[in-house]
Amino acid sequence: MSPIIQSSPTSYHSRGVAPTKHKSVPMIALPTTAGTAAETTINYVIIDEEKQKKMVCVDPNDIPAVAIIDAELMYSLPKSLTAATGMDALTHAIEGYITKGAWEMSDMFEIEAIRMIKKHLKNACDHPQDPEARNGMAVAQYIAGMAFSNVGLGLVHGMAHPMGSLFDVPHGVANALLLPTIMEFNMPSSIEKYGKIAEAMGVDTKGMTSEEAAQAAVDAVRDLSISVGIPQHLSELNITEADIPALSQQAIADVCTPGNPRDVTIDDIITLYKKVL
């Protein structure tokens, strides 16, 4: 999802389907990070700088006519950006896999994206000009985007967006920091799928109960995040407990939040922010 900066966007809803009536001019999209999948999604983000809000717009009229996925365009990305955008792609894949709108075809894309990201992200961070790692990440983020663009996301994105709008936290960092904790929150609603996530993350789940396999999925995601240098606490980003009410108000209203597989209240969101404080 590509941000468009506006100080006073007056012609768009604060969330949901954008009221555009015509297709955009034909676009040829060449992604330069392996993360957002903006080249294949129907989503974009408008940042209202006055109200400090990220507004996610769902708009089929903005899809590029052609997407060219060229991993060589990503060779010069620094490690921190490779890590953040890669974890963004992993969040897309996991949330798209468990969201309320998921179905067999989207599952097929998302589980393969998870497998590829686990295989390639660390290598892409440590060896930025490794063709196999860079190409693997470029393809993984693309197929994750193809799926989530059709089925939606969930609470990780709903809670990450306010961190970006209020505190300028990079989107991939916000997603990665929140993902393991929110996966634990969602575990009861998606326990069988979590076992498949664990397997895609390289975990041998033979002999494990469903609960053990689900926790192994969470642990594997957290371990990957740590291994590529993602901060693990809000306090590392200069966010304090006093900031949580404002973050939570925006998160509960975010367009991604209703897609979460487990219904959520603002009290749940406050508790989750405090867990990662």
Side-chain angles (χ1 to χ4, degrees), residues 1 35-37 43 45 54 56 84-85 87-96 148 152-165 171-172 174-176 178-179 182 186 247 250-260 269 273:
M1 295 186 290
T36 67
N43 305 315
V45 175
K54 271 190 173 183
V56 180
T85 55
M87 290 300 297
D88 184 24
L90 182 63
T91 306
H92 291 158
I94 290 174
E95 286 209 292
F148 90 73
L153 293 166
L155 183 59
V156 180
H157 273 74
M159 290 176 62
H161 288 144
M163 291 169 62
S165 60
H171 180 61
N175 276 335
L178 294 166
L179 181 58
I182 296 177
N186 284 329
L247 288 166
Q250 287 198 18
I252 194 68
D254 190 90
V255 68
C256 293
T257 297
N260 200 63
I269 291 172
Y273 276 130

Side-chain angles (χ1 to χ4, degrees), residues 20-186:
T20 59
K21 297 179 181 178
H22 306 287
K23 289 191 177 297
S24 68
V25 296
M27 293 182 287
I28 299 175
L30 291 86
T32 55
T33 69
T36 67
E39 73 280 0
T40 189
T41 72
I42 59 173
N43 305 315
Y44 51 84
V45 175
I46 295 176
I47 298 178
D48 185 334
E49 293 178 327
E50 292 180 357
K51 296 181 180 179
Q52 291 187 289
K53 287 185 178 180
K54 271 190 173 183
M55 301 182 298
V56 180
C57 297
V58 180
D59 188 355
N61 287 322
D62 86 317
I63 300 176
V66 176
I68 299 173
I69 313 302
D70 183 354
E72 288 190 28
L73 297 175
M74 306 170 191
Y75 282 9
S76 62
L77 283 180
K79 180 176 180 178
S80 60
L81 191 54
T82 299
T85 55
M87 290 300 297
D88 184 24
L90 182 63
T91 306
H92 291 158
I94 290 174
E95 286 209 292
Y97 186 55
I98 65 173
T99 190
K100 289 175 181 174
W103 66 297
E104 288 85 351
M105 185 173 286
S106 63
D107 286 356
M108 174 183 70
F109 283 95
E110 302 293 27
I111 204 70
E112 179 61 10
I114 294 167
R115 185 193 68 78
M116 293 178 71
I117 292 166
K118 166 58 179 175
K119 180 179 179 180
H120 295 298
L121 178 56
K122 185 69 163 61
N123 285 340
C125 289
D126 294 342
H127 308 286
Q129 296 196 13
D130 180 332
E132 182 182 3
R134 284 296 191 189
N135 190 67
M137 285 303 303
V139 173
Q141 65 88 33
Y142 177 74
I143 63 174
M146 289 178 67
F148 90 73
S149 185
N150 286 278
V151 299
L153 293 166
L155 183 59
V156 180
H157 273 74
M159 290 176 62
H161 288 144
M163 291 169 62
S165 60
L166 293 173
F167 297 97
D168 202 28
V169 176
H171 180 61
V173 171
N175 276 335
L177 189 155
L178 294 166
L179 181 58
T181 297
I182 296 177
M183 284 181 69
E184 288 180 331
F185 174 79
N186 284 329

Side-chain angles (χ1 to χ4, degrees), residues 167 234-235 237-245 247 273-274 277:
F167 297 97
L234 296 183
S235 57
L237 306 172
N238 297 317
I239 296 174
T240 70
E241 187 167 356
D243 300 315
I244 289 177
L247 288 166
Y273 276 130
K274 287 181 177 180
L277 188 58

